[in-house]
Amino acid sequence: CKKVFGMDLRKGLLRKDLSSNIPIVLKRTVEFLDTEENLCTEGLFRVSGVATTILRFKHEFDSGFDAELEKVGSPHAAASLLKLYVRELPEPLIPFDLYEEFTNVKIENQEEANIIKILEDLINQIPEENQRVLYFLCNFL
């Protein structure tokens, strides 16, 4: 099965046809979006792309093909596809069991070094593949 949407991140990255430790959907959408012109698109992550285009791209990736993002040339569709992929993960990039700990980190009245230590300890509890994807997305954003 070549399906990539809705698949567990770890299982998706174990596929033999992947040459990257980043899911192909994320890698391709970021490659497409990471140009000055596309990044300057008004409402890039706020305005949704055309639903039929997004679903077509999703189907192409789920069928084992590389969606031709450049052919359509819609930054909004690519950004919407990226968001859809992340939304459809069975478990979020910050796992359910750590979510509350992350949201409870208090930054007021704490030294920066202490906050960094607390966050590093929490990040180290996140599965390695989730850490890589979070780093990849944060580096892009």
Side-chain angles (χ1 to χ4, degrees):
C1 178
K2 297 204 180 273
K3 185 176 175 185
V4 293
F5 280 81
M7 179 178 262
D8 177 79
L9 192 57
R10 178 175 288 151
K11 288 179 185 171
L13 291 173
L14 291 176
R15 288 182 27 202
K16 289 182 261 180
D17 59 332
L18 291 179
S19 60
S20 173
N21 58 5
I22 300 298
I24 188 68
V25 176
L26 298 181
K27 186 175 181 195
R28 286 285 292 120
T29 54
V30 167
E31 284 173 355
F32 174 75
L33 292 170
D34 201 13
T35 68
E36 186 174 346
E37 182 181 353
N38 287 342
L39 290 174
C40 290
T41 301
E42 187 173 342
L44 180 59
F45 285 97
R46 183 180 44 79
V47 176
S48 184
V50 175
T52 54
T53 302
I54 299 163
L55 291 176
R56 187 177 84 236
F57 288 156
K58 177 184 176 184
H59 177 72
E60 288 172 359
F61 279 114
D62 274 346
S63 298
F65 298 104
D66 185 1
E68 296 181 355
L69 304 173
E70 295 80 9
K71 192 172 184 179
V72 173
S74 169
H76 291 116
S80 295
L81 187 71
L82 184 152
K83 293 188 303 183
L84 179 64
Y85 176 81
V86 172
R87 252 192 332 268
E88 288 192 2
L89 287 171
E91 181 164 56
L93 292 172
I94 296 176
F96 292 117
D97 61 336
L98 294 174
Y99 180 78
E100 192 170 330
E101 290 182 60
F102 269 95
T103 59
N104 286 336
V105 173
K106 303 286 184 228
I107 57 173
E108 294 106 21
N109 303 321
Q110 284 205 47
E111 303 229 358
E112 186 176 333
N114 189 37
I115 296 167
I116 290 171
K117 173 73 172 119
I118 292 168
L119 290 174
E120 282 177 343
D121 290 345
L122 285 171
I123 290 167
N124 287 330
Q125 294 178 54
I126 295 174
E128 185 180 330
E129 53 277 351
N130 294 44
Q131 288 182 39
R132 279 194 310 264
V133 170
L134 282 167
Y135 177 80
F136 177 78
L137 291 175
C138 289
N139 191 48
F140 164 65
L141 298 172

